[in-house]
Amino acid sequence: MTQRASGIEKRENNRNINLEKSSKRAQRLVKKYVDLDVVAQSEEQQEVFNVMWQKFDHELKKHKNFRNYRSYVYGYNEAIRYCQDYIEDHDVNLGFPKYIVVSERPKSFRTESWFIDGQKILRFYISWMDDITNKKQLVLEDLMLSLIFHSAVLKAPVLQAILNNVIDDSLNIESIFGLPLISIIIDDTTYHTNTIVASQAVHQAQVFLSPLTARLIDLYHQQPKSDLKTNSVKVKDLYTSLRMRQSNSQTPLDMGLSKFLRGAIYVLEDYLGIDIPEHTWYLITGDENTYSLPRDNWQSIAHDISHHADTHYDLKLHALNDGMVKLKKPNHTTAVEIAKLFKRKKGQKVSKITFTADLEQIYQGLLSDSAPLNELAIIGWLLSKTDSCQVSSIQTYSNMITYRWLVVTEHVDFYDCSADDFEDIYNELIELGKTEKAKNTIAAHIDDIHRYMVNSFNIEPIAPLSSATRAHHKTGYLSETMFQAVLINAQNLKVAKDESEAIQLSLILGQRCGLRIGEIVKVRLRDVAQSSAYLEVRDNKYGNNKTSSALRRVLLNQLLTDSDMLLLKRVVLRRHQSAGDTLIASQTGRPYLSGDMSRILTDLIKGTTGLAYLTTHHLRHSFLTNFQLMSFLYDNSYRFDNYEHCSLQALKDLLPYDEDKAREILNYIETSIQYKKIYALSGIAGHASPSTTFASYVHLTDIELGLLLYHIDFMLQPEHSDVLGVPRRRKNELKSNPIAINDYFIKKIKSKPLAKPKIKNELINPMSVKPKKRKKYAFDEVRQVLDAYTQKGDYTHTELIDIFEIEKHVFDSWLSNAQYLRNHADFQTIHNKPRLFAPDSSHHLLPTLDRFAEDRDLMKKMTSKFRGLYKVDDKDIIHQFVLYTLKNSQYYKNHINFNDSDILNDYLKTLVNLVYKKDIRLKVYNYKQASSDNLKQWRPIIKRFVSSQIDFVDNSSTKGTEYQKKIRMELSLVSQTEDDRIEERSESSLLISAWTVRTLQIFCHYVFIMIGDRIVDKES
């Protein structure tokens, strides 16, 4: 009997076929209306492209196959992918539209039955609040109801954990920024945060309580111990008992616990007036997830402390090789080819032998084509299943994961991914499941595929993601104070200034803009707008985006602070003058590997904060947490009745922006429609769904709820004074001044602020850091500012002074010294011409740099060595070295003349500390004609160098040789390109002895400009 394909299988196959057809139609359509060859040859490339794209978009909407919204999105995104591939392949400097990300809102809980339940629960709540006035003692049930109605604790496991702590008298109410909270361990084997208890990773949560609930818990504990007979109780049992008592009352509860907890929102929202966005209710009920910060992270935030004082940075800065291999382009037909294998022919069942052979053939074809690892992984994983599974089971697995896997992991370089990167990518995949069961099934498949890649391709292993094992959320956050302390340590690193500022900018792009480390290191200069207003995160030869939704425009103008923007402009200016095309690069202009930069930043963050679990990726956590916090703090929907708790300002101090700047950012990015705000947040994160953003990256919603609970009027009456322990003189405040009575409750419970850790710590206070005695400047800054002074460019010299943060007196000194070198007689020829400049250079203040980048890099190394050399007390020998170089230089000659062996000997004492001795070249004149005494003076210098470094000049053809009896020497530096030139000797007619450079003269010229006012000429 033949086995027919199921309806599900048929529809799946039809979808795959239709997607392939839609892909080809979209490509034909975009090629017809967007001629990228014409765009590439146009002078106004962006304008021409925009016009073509608008025409394409118009035609796409009209096309009969793309009139449906989802088909339109698919065609639109396919066209973007085609344009991006062309732009990168042909190196066209062009901005293009972003992918359309489709995401669905959660299903609303506000059904008719919910409203009915809510009204019943409201009647019960009012009755309970009336009954509690007559109680002599509180019972556990009262605490449970207060936690639900007064503190919005609507998750049964959290309720259970709190009540357990109440029962065993281990509940400790503390405060953060004056708001009461409790730390609990939730009995949840699915997730854990960054908390270890008894060597076990646990799920710790910080629960902020309302002052009323905190007061009731405190009063409960003050009751006589003999009255507390309960040993243990289940929340479900407690509620069942409550239902039974209410069954014959006027306010019966005919719903289960989960409906009761959800129905409590009606009381909190409609009766008590808690006005929060819909999505926040999903977080409170557990329909969506967000996780608390670890306790020690809160200690760092609340007390501005580091958990240890000793910091050590062992930075090994690695750059990518120039011979970079571009990632192989994906094959978009792979999913279709897999689907075809499951297709039955003439109603016959698919043979496992045939299926395995065909799948093996696809796999071998991918291997021979050097296919991307994501394609090899999915085919290889399916192939591995043929040993233990039937074809029908493999088809079920493939239908669930194959297409999603190929789309989300497209262009991912798995070998360059850290554990955080993997979790970020896989979370996006998991969120594509429509139900929790589907999400967990996807997670289990991902675990299996990743294990296959670990075993077959040596990929880094990660913790399992499915709930059958143990998942985890690496919560963590850096406040602005903590981040500034990290920046200060980055500034103090013992590395070159270029590298220090590259590290600082990487930190800023993570903390301020939420860029992933892989995105930071691959941003090119061309991806940054000329005005520095924004940058684009796009695929390029240095790496690809983690997901399609990661393609986005980052609004630098809005998100960076003034000091951040100055640093960005400094780096951009410097990078445009150096080798390489990435924004973040080493001193030699080479891009960083994401893994290397991640290790550098992680070392800085851990070393500064003392929190071992904080990594580079937590900069992104901090950015998204800050943006959501900012959206909450400056939301006009929240009113605090002109009585603002101190925690409001404390939370504002966590942010890098003042109120005006914060509102400007929100007005630019967000919308006034509440439900769309969460999509704005996920949009700037580059996430396809807000669920990913909140579950992994937003960590302060708990204290935000605590702040709102503090300002709630619980409609207490004077009759509540006895049960709440309110004195007679304050009885009227229960009704007339409810916020003040909340303050009274906080004072009465005498909660202590969150304790500092026992480990010795140091305060992190950037304001107390003593400024350096003298700010370091680089030659590049001198050059750019003085060039801008003498000739018109993109920036005026005053603008550059602000960007480079150069003090006015420093610039005035540079200008004065530069003019002195040009105009003073000491530095002019016998014809009164500047010896350091070309005759036709009438207005320049700086010499021309060496031709080759390698020689310019040598000058940077000399600068670093000079700084160390200049720390000696007696600087006179160094000053005379600089002066002698400048006074004995000529623009058209690469050498420096020496007629006195003692002067050369002193000169070499400084020079060999700046350059390698092998790079020094000497020309010796009159060696044969010199007297024995003269030879004796010069011979020790000659013996210091090997013969290949010395050229003895034959004076036989020199005019008047009979009068030249004394030795003289010409010293020069060899070009750093000498080895390369020797290899390519046949291509150059220049004598090897002529391969010298003016690096030394140029170096001393810049040194004099910067410190010339300290140099005293002994001869003068």
Side-chain angles (χ1 to χ4, degrees):
M1 183 176 178
T2 58
Q3 185 177 358
R4 296 181 180 179
S6 68
I8 294 175
E9 292 169 340
K10 288 180 179 178
R11 287 192 293 274
E12 181 69 24
N13 289 335
N14 288 336
R15 274 195 295 269
N16 290 333
I17 293 170
N18 290 334
L19 281 176
E20 179 64 20
K21 290 179 179 178
S22 296
S23 175
K24 292 179 179 178
R25 288 192 193 103
Q27 288 184 19
R28 286 197 298 268
L29 206 59
V30 73
K31 289 177 183 178
K32 180 178 178 181
Y33 293 103
V34 182
D35 191 336
L36 290 171
D37 291 330
V38 173
V39 172
Q41 296 171 9
S42 303
E43 292 184 3
E44 301 293 338
Q45 293 180 349
Q46 191 65 58
E47 289 76 3
V48 173
F49 174 79
N50 291 344
V51 172
M52 291 182 176
W53 184 266
Q54 288 176 4
K55 178 64 175 173
F56 157 76
D57 191 26
H58 178 71
E59 294 298 326
L60 184 71
K61 291 173 181 175
K62 285 170 50 180
H63 198 283
K64 64 179 182 179
N65 294 108
F66 297 102
R67 287 176 184 171
N68 173 276
Y69 177 69
R70 288 191 177 274
S71 61
Y72 165 75
V73 169
Y74 183 83
Y76 189 93
N77 288 346
E78 191 64 32
I80 290 175
R81 190 176 292 110
Y82 165 77
C83 290
Q84 175 162 338
D85 288 344
Y86 181 97
I87 287 168
E88 293 305 324
D89 290 343
H90 295 79
D91 198 27
V92 182
N93 190 7
L94 200 65
F96 51 89
K98 307 301 178 282
Y99 288 107
I100 299 175
V101 179
V102 180
S103 185
E104 297 179 357
R105 295 174 61 187
K107 185 178 179 181
S108 177
F109 57 81
R110 300 179 192 280
T111 61
E112 183 179 356
S113 62
W114 176 82
F115 276 106
I116 294 171
D117 289 343
Q119 290 168 350
K120 293 176 183 178
I121 294 168
L122 175 58
R123 289 194 293 272
F124 163 76
Y125 170 76
I126 294 172
S127 173
W128 169 67
M129 286 297 287
D130 289 340
D131 292 344
I132 204 172
T133 60
N134 301 317
K135 287 193 173 183
K136 299 298 182 183
Q137 285 194 337
L138 298 169
V139 294
L140 207 58
E141 185 183 280
D142 296 319
L143 299 190
M144 180 186 75
L145 294 174
S146 180
L147 286 165
I148 293 170
F149 292 117
H150 300 149
S151 294
V153 179
L154 304 184
K155 299 176 187 176
V158 178
L159 266 177
Q160 186 67 62
I162 296 174
L163 292 181
N164 289 344
N165 287 0
V166 170
I167 292 168
D168 62 20
D169 203 21
S170 63
L171 193 72
N172 180 30
I173 300 178
E174 299 175 289
S175 67
I176 292 178
F177 301 147
L179 296 175
L181 90 154
I182 51 177
S183 296
I184 58 170
I185 304 299
I186 301 173
D187 185 14
D188 182 355
T189 57
T190 303
Y191 291 102
H192 70 76
T193 49
N194 294 322
T195 305
I196 306 296
V197 174
S199 301
Q200 293 293 320
V202 296
H203 182 178
Q204 185 185 61
Q206 318 301 330
V207 180
F208 285 81
L209 304 175
S210 70
L212 178 55
T213 300
R215 176 62 172 162
L216 288 172
I217 292 174
D218 185 54
L219 290 169
Y220 180 84
H221 280 301
Q222 292 178 28
Q223 294 177 168
K225 297 292 182 182
S226 58
D227 295 334
L228 303 175
K229 299 178 181 180
T230 307
N231 294 322
S232 64
V233 67
K234 298 294 183 183
V235 169
K236 191 173 182 179
D237 296 339
L238 203 59
Y239 177 70
T240 301
S241 175
L242 175 64
R243 281 185 65 186
M244 292 177 64
R245 288 201 312 274
Q246 293 296 124
S247 59
N248 296 322
S249 70
Q250 295 180 348
T251 56
L253 298 172
D254 55 0
M255 72 287 297
L257 177 61
S258 60
K259 286 189 175 182
F260 179 77
L261 292 174
R262 194 181 295 274
I265 295 174
Y266 186 88
V267 177
L268 290 159
E269 194 173 51
D270 285 25
Y271 186 70
L272 296 177
I274 298 182
D275 183 18
I276 56 178
E278 187 86 349
H279 187 265
T280 305
W281 285 121
Y282 289 114
L283 297 175
I284 292 172
T285 59
D287 292 309
E288 296 281 331
N289 292 314
T290 186
Y291 297 94
S292 300
L293 292 174
R295 180 181 175 84
D296 52 358
N297 201 161
W298 267 118
Q299 289 172 324
S300 294
I301 296 167
H303 299 296
D304 289 339
I305 54 94
S306 170
H307 288 259
H308 66 68
D310 298 327
T311 58
H312 175 68
Y313 308 113
D314 181 19
L315 300 185
K316 297 178 181 178
L317 308 180
H318 300 291
L320 289 171
N321 293 324
D322 290 333
M324 197 176 315
V325 179
K326 196 170 183 178
L327 288 175
K328 187 77 175 177
K329 286 189 177 180
N331 176 13
H332 293 118
T333 64
T334 301
V336 177
E337 291 175 8
I338 295 173
K340 287 179 180 178
L341 298 182
F342 297 109
K343 190 173 182 179
R344 293 172 173 82
K345 298 178 181 179
K346 298 180 181 180
Q348 296 180 355
K349 185 178 180 181
V350 177
S351 164
K352 186 174 181 180
I353 295 175
T354 304
F355 172 80
T356 305
D358 291 344
L359 194 61
E360 177 68 32
Q361 186 177 355
I362 294 175
Y363 185 76
Q364 292 301 326
L366 292 176
L367 279 177
S368 62
D369 290 341
S370 301
L373 181 54
N374 72 321
E375 295 179 19
L376 289 169
I378 192 68
I379 300 290
W381 174 68
L382 290 173
L383 198 57
S384 69
K385 292 295 179 185
T386 58
D387 294 334
S388 57
C389 299
Q390 296 299 317
V391 176
S392 58
S393 298
I394 298 172
Q395 183 176 10
T396 303
Y397 301 153
S398 180
N399 290 345
M400 173 66 76
I401 193 68
T402 296
Y403 184 73
R404 291 166 173 167
W405 170 270
L406 291 173
V407 170
V408 173
T409 62
E410 184 175 294
H411 297 306
V412 171
D413 183 359
F414 288 96
Y415 291 106
D416 198 28
C417 285
S418 64
D420 288 331
D421 292 329
F422 283 124
E423 287 166 22
D424 200 19
I425 298 164
Y426 294 159
N427 281 334
E428 293 257 346
L429 248 175
I430 292 168
E431 290 303 326
L432 294 175
K434 293 184 178 180
T435 65
E436 286 303 315
K437 183 179 179 181
K439 290 178 181 179
N440 198 55
T441 302
I442 294 172
H445 288 327
I446 292 172
D447 288 338
D448 209 13
I449 295 170
H450 194 88
R451 277 193 294 272
Y452 171 78
M453 289 198 295
V454 170
N455 296 329
S456 301
F457 299 101
N458 200 28
I459 295 300
E460 180 183 352
I462 62 169
L465 299 166
S466 61
S467 60
T469 53
R470 171 172 284 277
H472 64 283
H473 280 265
K474 294 185 176 180
T475 58
Y477 171 76
L478 284 85
S479 67
E480 184 60 16
T481 301
M482 295 166 69
F483 179 67
Q484 288 299 326
V486 174
L487 272 184
I488 287 171
N489 279 334
Q491 292 166 6
N492 294 333
L493 290 174
K494 295 179 180 179
V495 295
K497 184 170 184 177
D498 291 3
E499 290 168 342
S500 172
E501 293 199 335
I503 292 168
Q504 292 172 55
L505 185 57
S506 298
L507 287 165
I508 287 168
L509 291 176
Q511 178 84 4
R512 298 281 188 260
C513 305
L515 266 65
R516 302 172 176 93
I517 189 63
E519 295 169 343
I520 291 171
V521 298
K522 75 185 178 85
V523 171
R524 297 166 301 180
L525 291 167
R526 56 184 279 190
D527 296 331
V528 182
Q530 191 171 0
S531 61
S532 299
Y534 62 86
L535 66 81
E536 290 186 331
V537 178
R538 57 166 70 174
D539 297 342
N540 59 43
K541 65 181 180 180
Y542 298 105
N544 294 306
N545 292 333
K546 299 303 180 188
T547 62
S548 295
S549 54
L551 178 72
R552 64 198 186 278
R553 177 168 289 183
V554 179
L555 304 172
L556 301 175
N557 230 14
Q558 281 69 38
L559 297 174
L560 298 188
T561 65
D562 292 343
S563 60
D564 298 337
M565 184 59 79
L566 287 176
L567 175 63
L568 172 69
K569 289 182 177 179
R570 281 203 301 276
V571 173
V572 169
L573 282 168
R574 190 175 292 118
R575 291 293 300 116
H576 274 299
Q577 305 297 324
S578 183
D581 60 351
T582 55
L583 174 65
I584 304 298
S586 67
Q587 190 176 21
T588 59
R590 293 186 176 184
Y592 290 100
L593 286 168
S594 61
D596 292 330
M597 181 57 80
S598 180
R599 282 187 287 274
I600 293 168
L601 302 190
T602 296
D603 285 348
L604 276 168
I605 293 167
K606 289 182 178 181
T608 303
T609 64
L611 299 174
Y613 51 80
L614 289 186
T615 66
T616 300
H617 205 59
H618 286 104
L619 298 171
R620 180 169 163 82
H621 286 237
S622 304
F623 162 71
L624 294 170
T625 297
N626 277 343
F627 194 93
Q628 190 277 332
L629 175 63
M630 187 166 60
S631 180
F632 166 80
L633 292 174
Y634 298 108
D635 189 332
N636 293 327
S637 303
Y638 301 124
R639 304 293 181 191
F640 298 110
D641 297 326
N642 298 320
Y643 187 88
E644 295 183 353
H645 189 262
C646 61
S647 61
L648 187 65
Q649 186 57 49
L651 289 174
K652 290 180 179 179
D653 290 341
L654 298 180
L655 302 171
Y657 315 112
D658 60 25
E659 183 168 346
D660 291 340
K661 177 69 172 176
R663 291 190 183 278
E664 176 191 328
I665 294 171
L666 294 173
N667 290 337
Y668 193 90
I669 296 175
E670 281 192 343
T671 171
S672 58
I673 302 174
Q674 281 290 351
Y675 86 86
K676 287 188 176 180
K677 289 187 175 184
I678 62 170
Y679 290 98
L681 179 63
S682 61
I684 63 173
H687 288 152
S689 168
S691 299
T692 302
T693 310
F694 278 86
S696 298
Y697 294 95
V698 175
H699 306 307
L700 295 181
T701 53
D702 46 12
I703 194 172
E704 293 169 5
L705 180 60
L707 178 61
L708 290 176
L709 292 172
Y710 183 91
H711 293 87
I712 293 299
D713 178 4
F714 292 105
M715 301 184 190
L716 299 174
Q717 302 297 322
E719 291 78 10
H720 289 102
S721 60
D722 290 339
V723 71
L724 295 174
V726 178
R728 186 181 305 170
R729 67 180 184 277
R730 307 200 66 160
K731 189 179 292 187
N732 290 331
E733 289 184 19
L734 287 169
K735 186 174 183 180
S736 62
N737 196 351
I739 306 302
I741 207 68
N742 281 343
D743 194 46
Y744 171 76
F745 290 153
I746 294 292
K747 292 177 181 176
K748 290 300 290 182
I749 63 176
K750 298 179 181 178
S751 63
K752 295 181 180 179
L754 187 67
K756 290 184 179 181
K758 295 180 180 179
I759 301 174
K760 292 183 180 180
N761 55 74
E762 289 184 345
L763 290 173
I764 302 174
N765 185 1
M767 299 302 294
S768 66
V769 177
K770 295 181 180 179
K772 298 176 184 178
K773 292 182 180 180
R774 182 174 289 109
K775 184 180 170 85
K776 289 183 180 180
Y777 298 102
F779 290 169
D780 186 65
E781 294 160 352
V782 175
R783 182 180 55 77
Q784 292 200 53
V785 173
L786 291 181
D787 277 347
Y789 180 82
T790 57
Q791 52 193 332
K792 188 176 181 180
D794 293 334
Y795 294 94
T796 65
H797 76 280
T798 53
E799 289 173 331
L800 290 176
I801 285 173
D802 290 336
I803 291 173
F804 291 126
E805 297 178 330
I806 300 169
E807 297 175 56
K808 186 178 183 303
H809 72 89
V810 172
F811 169 73
D812 291 341
S813 171
W814 292 354
L815 180 60
S816 174
N817 292 336
Q819 291 171 336
Y820 183 84
L821 286 176
R822 180 172 189 88
N823 301 323
H824 197 273
D826 286 349
F827 305 100
Q828 292 183 340
T829 65
I830 57 175
H831 303 293
N832 297 323
K833 299 289 184 182
R835 65 171 54 249
L836 305 173
F837 300 92
D840 57 348
S841 174
S842 59
H843 62 281
H844 290 169
L845 294 174
L846 297 167
T848 304
L849 293 177
D850 284 316
R851 175 184 175 186
F852 297 105
E854 293 86 345
D855 297 318
R856 296 195 295 270
D857 289 340
L858 173 62
M859 200 160 77
K860 293 179 181 179
K861 296 173 184 176
M862 291 171 66
T863 305
S864 178
K865 293 178 180 179
F866 186 87
R867 291 189 191 280
L869 190 63
Y870 203 68
K871 292 177 181 178
V872 298
D873 294 331
D874 185 8
K875 299 178 174 60
D876 183 63
I877 190 172
I878 302 174
H879 291 165
Q880 300 311 311
F881 166 85
V882 173
L883 273 177
Y884 191 90
T885 302
L886 297 174
K887 285 186 174 185
N888 293 273
S889 299
Q890 292 187 48
Y891 178 77
Y892 288 115
K893 296 181 179 179
N894 293 348
H895 62 261
I896 301 166
N897 287 314
F898 289 89
N899 297 316
D900 189 318
S901 60
D902 291 335
I903 293 176
L904 178 55
N905 197 50
D906 288 341
Y907 190 90
L908 288 171
K909 289 178 183 177
T910 301
L911 182 59
V912 294
N913 286 307
L914 298 178
V915 300
Y916 294 115
K917 194 172 75 169
K918 68 180 181 63
D919 291 332
I920 300 173
R921 296 292 182 268
L922 293 174
K923 271 191 178 182
V924 183
Y925 292 87
N926 305 324
Y927 186 78
K928 293 182 179 180
Q929 293 88 344
S931 64
S932 58
D933 290 341
N934 193 224
L935 284 172
K936 186 177 180 181
Q937 293 170 351
W938 290 91
R939 192 169 285 128
I941 294 175
I942 294 172
K943 286 183 177 180
R944 292 175 62 180
F945 297 91
V946 297
S947 58
S948 60
Q949 294 176 262
I950 302 176
D951 179 18
F952 291 94
V953 179
D954 184 6
N955 287 35
S956 59
S957 60
T958 305
K959 184 179 178 180
T961 55
E962 63 274 13
Y963 301 107
Q964 298 176 8
K965 299 297 185 182
K966 290 189 175 180
I967 294 175
R968 67 181 180 87
M969 288 190 183
E970 293 174 356
L971 181 146
S972 57
L973 294 183
V974 71
S975 172
Q976 298 299 297
T977 63
E978 182 183 60
D979 292 340
D980 294 335
R981 290 193 188 186
I982 291 173
E983 289 181 9
E984 301 171 1
R985 184 71 189 93
S986 60
E987 300 176 14
S988 174
S989 59
L990 192 65
L991 296 174
I992 292 179
S993 60
W995 292 347
T996 56
V997 289
R998 299 182 65 248
T999 308
L1000 186 56
Q1001 294 90 318
I1002 298 167
F1003 173 80
C1004 288
H1005 196 128
Y1006 276 94
V1007 169
F1008 189 92
I1009 289 175
M1010 298 183 77
I1011 64 169
D1013 51 340
R1014 303 180 217 164
I1015 296 176
V1016 177
D1017 189 349
K1018 285 187 173 181
E1019 294 181 5
S1020 302

